Amino acid sequence: MSKGILILAEHLKGELSDITFEMLGAGRTLADALGAPLHVALVGRGSAGLASRLGAADKVFVVDKPELELPPAATMAAVLGSLIEKQQESLVLVGWTNLAMGVGSVLSARSGLPLVNFARALRVEDGAVVVTSQLFGGKIFSDVRLADGRGIVSVSSGAFPADAGRSEKAPAVEAVDVAVEAPKITFKKYVEPAAGDVDITKQTTLVAVGRGIQTQDNISMAEELAEALGGAVCGSRPVIDQGWLPLTRQVGKSGMSVKPRLYLALGISGAPEHVEGMQGSQMIVAVNTDAKAPIFDVAQYGVCADALEILPVLTEKIKARHG
Amino acid sequence: MNLFVLLKTVPDTVEELTVAADNKSLDAEWLRFKLSDADEHAVEQALLLKERAGGKLTVVALDAPELDDSLFTVLAKGADRVVKLAGDLGNLQSFSAAALFAAFLKGEADPPPADTLILLRSQAMDDLEGEIGPVLADCLGLPYVGVVTGVQPDGGTVTVTKEFAGGLRGEFALPTPAVLGIQSAEKPPRYVPIAKVRAAMKSAALETVDVTPPEAGARFPIEKMYKPEAAGRAEMLEGSPEEVADRLVELLAQQSLI
Ligand SMILES: Cc1cc2nc3c(=O)[nH]c(=O)nc-3n(C[C@H](O)[C@H](O)[C@H](O)COP(=O)(O)OP(=O)(O)OC[C@H]3O[C@@H](n4cnc5c(N)ncnc54)[C@H](O)[C@@H]3O)c2cc1C
Ligand SMILES: Nc1ncnc2c1ncn2[C@@H]1O[C@H](COP(=O)(O)O)[C@@H](O)[C@H]1O
């Protein structure tokens, strides 16, 4: 019998994250191509109730224990390690997400199974699994071949459609008791994003600024354009980290996911961690001095120019139009 | 506190990245190396901790071309000691990097004193086969939390803020010694005037420790490296700022966006 594929389900605050369904869709395709069973590890305190939604899998293994409240990566890796051994899994999929970060690395170091990070595409070739990853801020792709389909793949968010992994079917569910050391790390509480600022997820137009905006003072130019367009300003991580815009304005992996009708990206390179938060926008226009910037791969329209030169001219023209 | 920051440079992606003739690696001739944003933030977080709690900050870096300026900058910012791990590091993989750092740290004190915090970047864009932090922590038998944006030490424990998604964060408490993967410091990395860096170059020295990377080899073969295809690329608007702006206004009007 062919060995199985195991997906680590991801959930936060009692809800399954999209990445879980994205991996389920991708895993289903692989499992069918390899003739392998598709399994899910659902780990965490109070997680058992989520199993019924994982019908795209053949079987769900539930490890629901009180001490597993947001368990650390090492504990997660221990649970997965034990499941892999018991169930003879050969391929493991985890999310390349803040939540699961480190789980694959520790599992790889302990088990000797190779880990491939940043996966965006997966295909089966003669029983091997070929993983395409996006490296160096999206500027380079690499293909890695996992011979015999054995390994751990850390899957980027937004790389596969989530709908492909949703199913009405009821999966087979098995509660598993895995003995793990109680983690030394304890979860204390959630820290909610500050309320009161503009909700960038509700805007129809966003003017997004990246490191290319260069100074805090230049942000006011973007604000003027956003105002003329009836939208709001948001930014990439470096701009937020510099304190030029509040955390509520961050778009991307750790920040917000936005889908405005217009996303105007100024001086943003288009790193995968940024793109995952804005790729659902209807129209993306990018201004960047680097013609090779990956942002031009997701934008419909691009301008290879200094954003600081385009900004005032564009603002004037839009204002003039409104009269 | 007994503070460590571990550094490993990444290729600067502002430069053009070229795939080497073997189609499996980056052409080293054109690479420029720099500290990643997260490395800079790990340094800043350690400096903030030292300012608040006192103690000694040791920075340990894997040697790389053009690294010394960054290291003197770290000294000028307030690090007490900077150590370079040098040797035939080549294209060092994450797990080998973790092993080298672990060996160095064990050589310093094994087990480390109770007030030890080891900070490093949470992850970087070249961690193709895994992050260094969690593996290092596993080697040392210490607890680890990554994607950290806040650190509050308190006696034998440290409370950290970890990012999830959508602006949601979580607080975790862990016993020290511990390893923390820093994503962002609590404040933007400080600026240090070039004069101070020059002064550090004159007054302080970088220590060098020779190391031999473990015989890890490639855990998997990279079949090929390549640049994204040009397909699906944006339609580029050319011309003066005036012309480009006119064309953009036209496009936005077509979509009833203005
Ligand atoms: C776990 C994790 C979570 C992350 N979460 C997020 C997140 O939520 N959001 C996020 O954005 N990032 C996130 N990142 C960081 C991400 O990897 C990138 O570092 C970041 O998105 C880069 O921001 P940037 O494009 O503004 O800067 P850079 O990559 O430095 O790009 C700046 C761009 O500006 C261009 N430029 C410079 N000057 C000009 C000018 N005058 N006019 C026009 N263009 C100019 C340059 O050509 C360059 O392309 C995360 C990373 C990790 C590891
Ligand atoms: N699949 C998952 N589902 C829910 N929580 C997870 C999952 N993977 C990891 N985590 C949590 O993510 C954090 C891991 O932190 P770190 O120590 O940085 O790897 C812990 O809070 C884990 O509980």
Side-chain angles (χ1 to χ4, degrees):
Chain A
M1 200 190 80
S2 187
K3 293 186 174 174
I5 299 176
L6 181 69
I7 290 171
L8 174 63
E10 191 164 311
H11 53 93
L12 190 60
K13 296 180 101 181
E15 296 213 36
L16 289 161
S17 319
D18 280 351
I19 183 74
T20 303
F21 297 105
E22 293 167 15
M23 290 190 288
L24 269 169
R28 188 72 262 169
T29 310
L30 282 181
D32 293 346
L34 290 164
L38 182 64
H39 298 155
V40 173
L42 181 57
V43 185
R45 191 178 90 143
S47 61
L50 299 169
S52 61
R53 297 187 48 211
L54 303 170
D58 300 308
K59 192 163 199 179
V60 179
F61 297 108
V62 179
V63 187
D64 184 342
K65 300 173 98 172
E67 66 269 34
L68 295 180
E69 165 110 60
L70 288 165
T75 307
M76 239 5 168
V79 172
L80 288 183
S82 141
L83 280 176
I84 291 170
E85 208 166 297
K86 230 186 276 178
Q87 308 300 333
Q88 296 287 297
E89 315 284 6
S90 61
L91 188 69
V92 181
L93 304 185
V94 297
W96 198 74
T97 58
N98 289 357
L99 203 56
M101 190 96 57
V103 177
S105 307
V106 176
L107 184 60
S108 171
R110 289 184 186 168
S111 67
L113 282 174
L115 166 72
V116 190
N117 251 338
F118 319 122
R120 298 207 65 86
L122 295 160
R123 63 175 196 275
V124 172
E125 253 181 43
D126 311 323
V129 174
V130 180
V131 186
T132 301
S133 302
Q134 199 175 14
L135 304 179
F136 303 112
K139 283 200 157 180
I140 296 284
F141 280 62
S142 77
D143 282 0
V144 164
R145 177 176 298 263
L146 298 173
D148 313 329
R150 277 172 55 79
I152 306 162
V153 177
S154 169
V155 179
S156 297
S157 301
F160 298 95
D163 282 346
R166 297 187 206 273
S167 163
E168 299 297 313
K169 256 182 29 201
V173 179
E174 183 182 328
V176 191
D177 189 22
V178 176
V180 284
E181 247 179 81
K184 285 191 221 157
I185 303 171
T186 44
F187 173 68
K188 292 293 206 200
K189 62 171 191 205
Y190 290 106
V191 184
E192 301 287 340
D197 188 38
V198 178
D199 183 352
I200 57 170
T201 64
K202 302 225 160 69
Q203 299 287 320
T204 47
T205 296
L206 286 174
V207 176
V209 293
R211 199 186 330 248
I213 200 75
Q214 288 163 17
T215 67
Q216 179 160 27
D217 288 348
N218 290 337
I219 304 248
S220 60
M221 286 207 271
E223 261 154 9
E224 222 178 304
L225 175 59
E227 197 181 324
L229 286 165
V233 173
C234 61
S236 64
R237 171 154 217 141
V239 170
I240 308 314
D241 279 351
Q242 280 302 316
W244 297 348
L245 284 173
L247 193 57
T248 43
R249 305 289 183 108
Q250 182 170 323
V251 171
K253 191 180 203 68
S254 303
M256 306 296 163
S257 278
V258 298
K259 292 180 176 161
R261 287 186 58 209
L262 171 65
Y263 192 88
L264 191 55
L266 306 171
I268 292 181
S269 64
E273 296 81 20
H274 185 77
V275 169
E276 75 172 73
M278 49 68 82
Q279 61 187 359
S281 307
Q282 269 176 42
M283 180 166 159
I284 300 170
V285 179
V287 183
N288 196 306
T289 42
D290 176 6
K292 301 253 169 69
I295 192 73
F296 292 130
D297 295 328
V298 286
Q300 280 87 57
Y301 298 98
V303 184
C304 183
D306 185 341
L308 302 174
E309 277 180 29
I310 302 285
L311 253 174
V313 185
L314 184 59
T315 307
E316 276 321 304
K317 292 203 186 271
I318 288 166
K319 279 191 186 157
R321 217 187 139 87
H322 289 314
Chain B
M1 299 205 75
N2 187 29
L3 296 161
F4 288 92
V5 174
L6 314 180
L7 301 174
K8 177 173 183 274
T9 54
V10 292
D12 189 348
T13 53
V14 167
E15 304 291 321
E16 167 116 35
L17 300 181
T18 313
V19 177
D22 67 358
N23 283 325
K24 289 174 197 224
S25 55
L26 291 180
D27 192 341
E29 194 180 332
W30 304 103
L31 290 185
R32 289 189 57 111
F33 290 91
K34 60 165 214 167
L35 295 180
S36 69
D37 285 0
D39 279 299
E40 302 273 10
H41 280 272
V43 170
E44 181 61 34
Q45 187 61 56
L47 292 165
L48 292 172
L49 288 170
K50 188 186 153 184
E51 282 166 2
R52 269 189 237 142
K56 182 177 174 193
L57 169 55
T58 304
V59 173
V60 187
L62 293 173
D63 202 10
E66 298 150 67
L67 176 67
D68 288 8
D69 284 358
S70 303
L71 296 184
F72 282 115
T73 305
V74 165
L75 277 171
K77 285 180 175 182
D80 299 288
R81 181 181 165 212
V82 173
V83 183
K84 279 200 289 185
L85 303 186
D88 184 15
L89 303 185
N91 223 336
L92 200 67
Q93 293 190 308
S94 302
F95 294 167
S96 308
L100 288 179
F101 283 133
F104 175 83
L105 289 163
K106 280 187 179 156
E108 289 289 290
D110 189 15
D115 64 344
T116 301
L117 274 183
I118 300 159
L119 276 52
L120 76 168
R121 67 192 198 189
S122 182
Q123 63 287 120
M125 61 196 174
D126 59 348
D127 287 342
L128 179 61
E129 73 300 325
E131 298 83 33
I132 300 172
V135 176
L136 169 75
D138 218 40
C139 294
L140 297 173
L142 299 181
Y144 172 83
V145 176
V147 208
V148 166
T149 59
V151 184
Q152 233 16 281
D154 181 16
T157 63
V158 57
T159 303
V160 299
T161 310
K162 175 190 172 82
E163 279 188 354
F164 296 131
L168 180 71
R169 287 162 291 158
E171 252 180 45
F172 293 84
L174 58 164
T176 56
V179 181
L180 301 178
I182 303 295
Q183 182 65 37
S184 299
E186 289 152 19
K187 288 185 182 166
R190 66 195 63 194
Y191 173 78
V192 58
I194 190 79
K196 270 187 124 176
V197 179
R198 290 225 182 85
M201 284 175 176
K202 287 205 187 96
S203 64
L206 307 175
E207 285 172 48
T208 301
V209 173
D210 289 319
V211 293
T212 313
E215 198 61 39
R219 297 175 136 254
F220 51 69
I222 289 185
E223 197 157 75
K224 63 173 177 168
M225 260 193 188
Y226 49 101
K227 297 200 178 187
E229 278 163 34
R233 279 186 77 88
E235 177 184 333
M236 301 302 285
L237 312 179
E238 320 268 346
S240 67
E242 285 282 327
E243 288 163 339
V244 166
D246 280 333
R247 182 84 177 92
L248 280 174
V249 168
E250 208 177 292
L251 285 166
L252 299 184
Q254 270 168 20
Q255 303 287 325
S256 322
L257 284 161
I258 45 175

